[in-house]
PDB file of all heavy atoms in Angstrom:
ATOM      1  N   PRO A 274      86.388  95.233  93.797  1.00 93.00           N
ATOM      2  CA  PRO A 274      85.100  94.595  93.509  1.00 93.00           C
ATOM      3  C   PRO A 274      84.182  94.695  94.723  1.00 93.00           C
ATOM      4  O   PRO A 274      84.669  94.782  95.866  1.00 93.00           O
ATOM      5  CB  PRO A 274      85.472  93.133  93.230  1.00 93.00           C
ATOM      6  CG  PRO A 274      86.932  93.149  92.920  1.00 93.00           C
ATOM      7  CD  PRO A 274      87.520  94.285  93.696  1.00 93.00           C
ATOM      8  N   VAL A 275      82.889  94.663  94.486  1.00 93.00           N
ATOM      9  CA  VAL A 275      81.916  94.778  95.575  1.00 93.00           C
ATOM     10  C   VAL A 275      82.145  93.701  96.632  1.00 93.00           C
ATOM     11  O   VAL A 275      82.038  93.959  97.839  1.00 93.00           O
ATOM     12  CB  VAL A 275      80.474  94.695  95.022  1.00 93.00           C
ATOM     13  CG1 VAL A 275      79.464  94.518  96.155  1.00 93.00           C
ATOM     14  CG2 VAL A 275      80.143  95.947  94.221  1.00 93.00           C
ATOM     15  N   GLU A 276      82.483  92.476  96.200  1.00 94.00           N
ATOM     16  CA  GLU A 276      82.695  91.380  97.155  1.00 94.00           C
ATOM     17  C   GLU A 276      83.816  91.726  98.143  1.00 94.00           C
ATOM     18  O   GLU A 276      83.720  91.423  99.338  1.00 94.00           O
ATOM     19  CB  GLU A 276      83.037  90.076  96.422  1.00 94.00           C
ATOM     20  CG  GLU A 276      81.911  89.522  95.575  1.00 94.00           C
ATOM     21  CD  GLU A 276      81.731  90.263  94.254  1.00 94.00           C
ATOM     22  OE1 GLU A 276      82.633  91.066  93.884  1.00 94.00           O
ATOM     23  OE2 GLU A 276      80.691  90.056  93.605  1.00 94.00           O
ATOM     24  N   GLU A 277      84.887  92.360  97.642  1.00 94.00           N
ATOM     25  CA  GLU A 277      85.999  92.739  98.524  1.00 94.00           C
ATOM     26  C   GLU A 277      85.597  93.882  99.457  1.00 94.00           C
ATOM     27  O   GLU A 277      86.050  93.951 100.601  1.00 94.00           O
ATOM     28  CB  GLU A 277      87.226  93.123  97.695  1.00 94.00           C
ATOM     29  CG  GLU A 277      87.867  91.951  96.975  1.00 94.00           C
ATOM     30  CD  GLU A 277      89.158  92.331  96.272  1.00 94.00           C
ATOM     31  OE1 GLU A 277      89.778  93.345  96.664  1.00 94.00           O
ATOM     32  OE2 GLU A 277      89.555  91.617  95.330  1.00 94.00           O
ATOM     33  N   VAL A 278      84.750  94.779  98.972  1.00 94.00           N
ATOM     34  CA  VAL A 278      84.259  95.873  99.812  1.00 94.00           C
ATOM     35  C   VAL A 278      83.441  95.297 100.965  1.00 94.00           C
ATOM     36  O   VAL A 278      83.596  95.705 102.115  1.00 94.00           O
ATOM     37  CB  VAL A 278      83.409  96.865  98.993  1.00 94.00           C
ATOM     38  CG1 VAL A 278      82.740  97.880  99.920  1.00 94.00           C
ATOM     39  CG2 VAL A 278      84.272  97.580  97.964  1.00 94.00           C
ATOM     40  N   VAL A 279      82.572  94.324 100.669  1.00 94.00           N
ATOM     41  CA  VAL A 279      81.769  93.674 101.708  1.00 94.00           C
ATOM     42  C   VAL A 279      82.683  93.017 102.734  1.00 94.00           C
ATOM     43  O   VAL A 279      82.481  93.139 103.949  1.00 94.00           O
ATOM     44  CB  VAL A 279      80.808  92.637 101.095  1.00 94.00           C
ATOM     45  CG1 VAL A 279      80.144  91.800 102.187  1.00 94.00           C
ATOM     46  CG2 VAL A 279      79.746  93.330 100.252  1.00 94.00           C
ATOM     47  N   GLY A 280      83.712  92.320 102.257  1.00 93.00           N
ATOM     48  CA  GLY A 280      84.661  91.682 103.165  1.00 93.00           C
ATOM     49  C   GLY A 280      85.374  92.689 104.050  1.00 93.00           C
ATOM     50  O   GLY A 280      85.580  92.455 105.252  1.00 93.00           O
ATOM     51  N   LEU A 281      85.756  93.836 103.477  1.00 94.00           N
ATOM     52  CA  LEU A 281      86.420  94.888 104.245  1.00 94.00           C
ATOM     53  C   LEU A 281      85.492  95.421 105.337  1.00 94.00           C
ATOM     54  O   LEU A 281      85.904  95.579 106.495  1.00 94.00           O
ATOM     55  CB  LEU A 281      86.838  96.022 103.304  1.00 94.00           C
ATOM     56  CG  LEU A 281      87.388  97.293 103.972  1.00 94.00           C
ATOM     57  CD1 LEU A 281      88.689  96.997 104.715  1.00 94.00           C
ATOM     58  CD2 LEU A 281      87.605  98.388 102.922  1.00 94.00           C
ATOM     59  N   LEU A 282      84.252  95.680 104.997  1.00 95.00           N
ATOM     60  CA  LEU A 282      83.291  96.204 105.972  1.00 95.00           C
ATOM     61  C   LEU A 282      83.064  95.213 107.114  1.00 95.00           C
ATOM     62  O   LEU A 282      83.020  95.596 108.290  1.00 95.00           O
ATOM     63  CB  LEU A 282      81.966  96.512 105.277  1.00 95.00           C
ATOM     64  CG  LEU A 282      81.948  97.746 104.373  1.00 95.00           C
ATOM     65  CD1 LEU A 282      80.700  97.731 103.492  1.00 95.00           C
ATOM     66  CD2 LEU A 282      81.988  99.019 105.195  1.00 95.00           C
ATOM     67  N   GLU A 283      82.908  93.941 106.768  1.00 93.00           N
ATOM     68  CA  GLU A 283      82.674  92.930 107.802  1.00 93.00           C
ATOM     69  C   GLU A 283      83.893  92.787 108.699  1.00 93.00           C
ATOM     70  O   GLU A 283      83.762  92.603 109.917  1.00 93.00           O
ATOM     71  CB  GLU A 283      82.314  91.596 107.152  1.00 93.00           C
ATOM     72  CG  GLU A 283      80.931  91.627 106.490  1.00 93.00           C
ATOM     73  CD  GLU A 283      80.598  90.354 105.745  1.00 93.00           C
ATOM     74  OE1 GLU A 283      81.548  89.613 105.380  1.00 93.00           O
ATOM     75  OE2 GLU A 283      79.398  90.079 105.515  1.00 93.00           O
ATOM     76  N   ARG A 284      85.075  92.883 108.099  1.00 92.00           N
ATOM     77  CA  ARG A 284      86.299  92.804 108.901  1.00 92.00           C
ATOM     78  C   ARG A 284      86.414  94.005 109.845  1.00 92.00           C
ATOM     79  O   ARG A 284      86.781  93.862 111.021  1.00 92.00           O
ATOM     80  CB  ARG A 284      87.516  92.770 107.961  1.00 92.00           C
ATOM     81  CG  ARG A 284      88.858  92.670 108.675  1.00 92.00           C
ATOM     82  CD  ARG A 284      89.076  91.294 109.256  1.00 92.00           C
ATOM     83  NE  ARG A 284      90.265  91.251 110.086  1.00 92.00           N
ATOM     84  CZ  ARG A 284      90.698  90.160 110.691  1.00 92.00           C
ATOM     85  NH1 ARG A 284      90.051  89.026 110.541  1.00 92.00           N
ATOM     86  NH2 ARG A 284      91.774  90.187 111.452  1.00 92.00           N
ATOM     87  N   MET A 285      86.058  95.197 109.348  1.00 93.00           N
ATOM     88  CA  MET A 285      86.098  96.403 110.179  1.00 93.00           C
ATOM     89  C   MET A 285      85.183  96.265 111.391  1.00 93.00           C
ATOM     90  O   MET A 285      85.536  96.644 112.499  1.00 93.00           O
ATOM     91  CB  MET A 285      85.691  97.627 109.349  1.00 93.00           C
ATOM     92  CG  MET A 285      86.740  98.089 108.358  1.00 93.00           C
ATOM     93  SD  MET A 285      86.113  99.395 107.248  1.00 93.00           S
ATOM     94  CE  MET A 285      85.765 100.720 108.425  1.00 93.00           C
ATOM     95  N   ARG A 286      83.991  95.692 111.167  1.00 92.00           N
ATOM     96  CA  ARG A 286      83.048  95.549 112.280  1.00 92.00           C
ATOM     97  C   ARG A 286      83.547  94.527 113.299  1.00 92.00           C
ATOM     98  O   ARG A 286      83.424  94.727 114.521  1.00 92.00           O
ATOM     99  CB  ARG A 286      81.678  95.142 111.761  1.00 92.00           C
ATOM    100  CG  ARG A 286      80.636  95.059 112.886  1.00 92.00           C
ATOM    101  CD  ARG A 286      79.218  95.086 112.363  1.00 92.00           C
ATOM    102  NE  ARG A 286      78.279  95.155 113.476  1.00 92.00           N
ATOM    103  CZ  ARG A 286      77.543  94.139 113.910  1.00 92.00           C
ATOM    104  NH1 ARG A 286      77.639  92.961 113.319  1.00 92.00           N
ATOM    105  NH2 ARG A 286      76.704  94.283 114.903  1.00 92.00           N
ATOM    106  N   LYS A 287      84.124  93.422 112.821  1.00 91.00           N
ATOM    107  CA  LYS A 287      84.657  92.424 113.749  1.00 91.00           C
ATOM    108  C   LYS A 287      85.771  93.017 114.604  1.00 91.00           C
ATOM    109  O   LYS A 287      85.848  92.765 115.808  1.00 91.00           O
ATOM    110  CB  LYS A 287      85.178  91.211 112.967  1.00 91.00           C
ATOM    111  CG  LYS A 287      84.082  90.320 112.395  1.00 91.00           C
ATOM    112  CD  LYS A 287      84.672  89.153 111.625  1.00 91.00           C
ATOM    113  CE  LYS A 287      83.576  88.264 111.044  1.00 91.00           C
ATOM    114  NZ  LYS A 287      84.145  87.155 110.243  1.00 91.00           N
ATOM    115  N   GLU A 288      86.624  93.818 113.979  1.00 90.00           N
ATOM    116  CA  GLU A 288      87.711  94.437 114.731  1.00 90.00           C
ATOM    117  C   GLU A 288      87.171  95.469 115.715  1.00 90.00           C
ATOM    118  O   GLU A 288      87.677  95.592 116.830  1.00 90.00           O
ATOM    119  CB  GLU A 288      88.710  95.076 113.761  1.00 90.00           C
ATOM    120  CG  GLU A 288      89.470  94.049 112.928  1.00 90.00           C
ATOM    121  CD  GLU A 288      90.511  94.673 112.014  1.00 90.00           C
ATOM    122  OE1 GLU A 288      90.841  95.858 112.186  1.00 90.00           O
ATOM    123  OE2 GLU A 288      90.991  93.962 111.109  1.00 90.00           O
ATOM    124  N   LYS A 289      86.137  96.196 115.297  1.00 87.00           N
ATOM    125  CA  LYS A 289      85.528  97.190 116.174  1.00 87.00           C
ATOM    126  C   LYS A 289      84.928  96.522 117.404  1.00 87.00           C
ATOM    127  O   LYS A 289      84.975  97.064 118.519  1.00 87.00           O
ATOM    128  CB  LYS A 289      84.439  97.935 115.403  1.00 87.00           C
ATOM    129  CG  LYS A 289      83.726  99.012 116.197  1.00 87.00           C
ATOM    130  CD  LYS A 289      84.356 100.362 115.993  1.00 87.00           C
ATOM    131  CE  LYS A 289      83.540 101.438 116.672  1.00 87.00           C
ATOM    132  NZ  LYS A 289      84.039 102.780 116.385  1.00 87.00           N
ATOM    133  N   ARG A 290      84.353  95.327 117.216  1.00 87.00           N
ATOM    134  CA  ARG A 290      83.730  94.592 118.321  1.00 87.00           C
ATOM    135  C   ARG A 290      84.752  93.796 119.126  1.00 87.00           C
ATOM    136  O   ARG A 290      84.410  93.178 120.130  1.00 87.00           O
ATOM    137  CB  ARG A 290      82.661  93.643 117.771  1.00 87.00           C
ATOM    138  CG  ARG A 290      81.485  94.355 117.134  1.00 87.00           C
ATOM    139  CD  ARG A 290      80.611  93.387 116.370  1.00 87.00           C
ATOM    140  NE  ARG A 290      80.059  92.355 117.237  1.00 87.00           N
ATOM    141  CZ  ARG A 290      79.578  91.195 116.823  1.00 87.00           C
ATOM    142  NH1 ARG A 290      79.604  90.909 115.531  1.00 87.00           N
ATOM    143  NH2 ARG A 290      79.083  90.329 117.672  1.00 87.00           N
ATOM    144  N   GLY A 291      85.999  93.774 118.673  1.00 83.00           N
ATOM    145  CA  GLY A 291      87.050  93.076 119.394  1.00 83.00           C
ATOM    146  C   GLY A 291      87.058  91.580 119.207  1.00 83.00           C
ATOM    147  O   GLY A 291      87.642  90.852 120.019  1.00 83.00           O
ATOM    148  N   VAL A 292      86.414  91.089 118.138  1.00 81.00           N
ATOM    149  CA  VAL A 292      86.378  89.644 117.905  1.00 81.00           C
ATOM    150  C   VAL A 292      87.366  89.224 116.813  1.00 81.00           C
ATOM    151  O   VAL A 292      87.364  88.077 116.381  1.00 81.00           O
ATOM    152  CB  VAL A 292      84.952  89.175 117.533  1.00 81.00           C
ATOM    153  CG1 VAL A 292      84.010  89.403 118.686  1.00 81.00           C
ATOM    154  CG2 VAL A 292      84.452  89.880 116.272  1.00 81.00           C
ATOM    155  N   ALA A 293      88.187  90.160 116.361  1.00 77.00           N
ATOM    156  CA  ALA A 293      89.223  89.844 115.368  1.00 77.00           C
ATOM    157  C   ALA A 293      90.405  90.767 115.600  1.00 77.00           C
ATOM    158  O   ALA A 293      90.255  91.884 116.114  1.00 77.00           O
ATOM    159  CB  ALA A 293      88.682  90.021 113.943  1.00 77.00           C
ATOM    160  N   ALA A 294      91.587  90.280 115.257  1.00 79.00           N
ATOM    161  CA  ALA A 294      92.797  91.088 115.419  1.00 79.00           C
ATOM    162  C   ALA A 294      92.729  92.310 114.514  1.00 79.00           C
ATOM    163  O   ALA A 294      92.149  92.278 113.432  1.00 79.00           O
ATOM    164  CB  ALA A 294      94.026  90.246 115.064  1.00 79.00           C
ATOM    165  N   ARG A 295      93.327  93.418 114.964  1.00 80.00           N
ATOM    166  CA  ARG A 295      93.267  94.670 114.215  1.00 80.00           C
ATOM    167  C   ARG A 295      94.274  94.626 113.064  1.00 80.00           C
ATOM    168  O   ARG A 295      95.467  94.783 113.273  1.00 80.00           O
ATOM    169  CB  ARG A 295      93.546  95.858 115.127  1.00 80.00           C
ATOM    170  CG  ARG A 295      92.481  96.061 116.200  1.00 80.00           C
ATOM    171  CD  ARG A 295      92.843  97.215 117.140  1.00 80.00           C
ATOM    172  NE  ARG A 295      92.877  98.483 116.434  1.00 80.00           N
ATOM    173  CZ  ARG A 295      91.815  99.268 116.249  1.00 80.00           C
ATOM    174  NH1 ARG A 295      90.630  98.874 116.695  1.00 80.00           N
ATOM    175  NH2 ARG A 295      91.931 100.418 115.629  1.00 80.00           N
ATOM    176  N   ASN A 296      93.731  94.435 111.854  1.00 82.00           N
ATOM    177  CA  ASN A 296      94.564  94.407 110.658  1.00 82.00           C
ATOM    178  C   ASN A 296      94.189  95.492 109.654  1.00 82.00           C
ATOM    179  O   ASN A 296      95.040  95.979 108.913  1.00 82.00           O
ATOM    180  CB  ASN A 296      94.470  93.040 109.972  1.00 82.00           C
ATOM    181  CG  ASN A 296      95.105  91.935 110.802  1.00 82.00           C
ATOM    182  OD1 ASN A 296      96.144  92.145 111.407  1.00 82.00           O
ATOM    183  ND2 ASN A 296      94.470  90.781 110.835  1.00 82.00           N
ATOM    184  N   VAL A 297      92.894  95.856 109.627  1.00 84.00           N
ATOM    185  CA  VAL A 297      92.456  96.861 108.644  1.00 84.00           C
ATOM    186  C   VAL A 297      92.044  98.176 109.288  1.00 84.00           C
ATOM    187  O   VAL A 297      92.063  99.214 108.631  1.00 84.00           O
ATOM    188  CB  VAL A 297      91.293  96.319 107.786  1.00 84.00           C
ATOM    189  CG1 VAL A 297      91.720  95.099 107.004  1.00 84.00           C
ATOM    190  CG2 VAL A 297      90.062  96.013 108.626  1.00 84.00           C
TER     191      VAL A 297
END
């Protein structure tokens, strides 16, 4: 679903910026 895609993208950016653990 689009909502899950948005969540995936936001998680990817947080991990890229180093503000979240690398899970995705």
Side-chain angles (χ1 to χ4, degrees):
V275 168
E276 294 77 12
E277 291 186 22
V278 172
V279 171
L281 172 64
L282 287 166
E283 290 175 338
R284 181 73 188 181
M285 286 172 63
R286 183 162 186 255
K287 286 179 180 178
E288 292 183 14
K289 180 94 174 186
R290 294 169 61 199
V292 296
R295 295 177 64 87
N296 292 320
V297 299

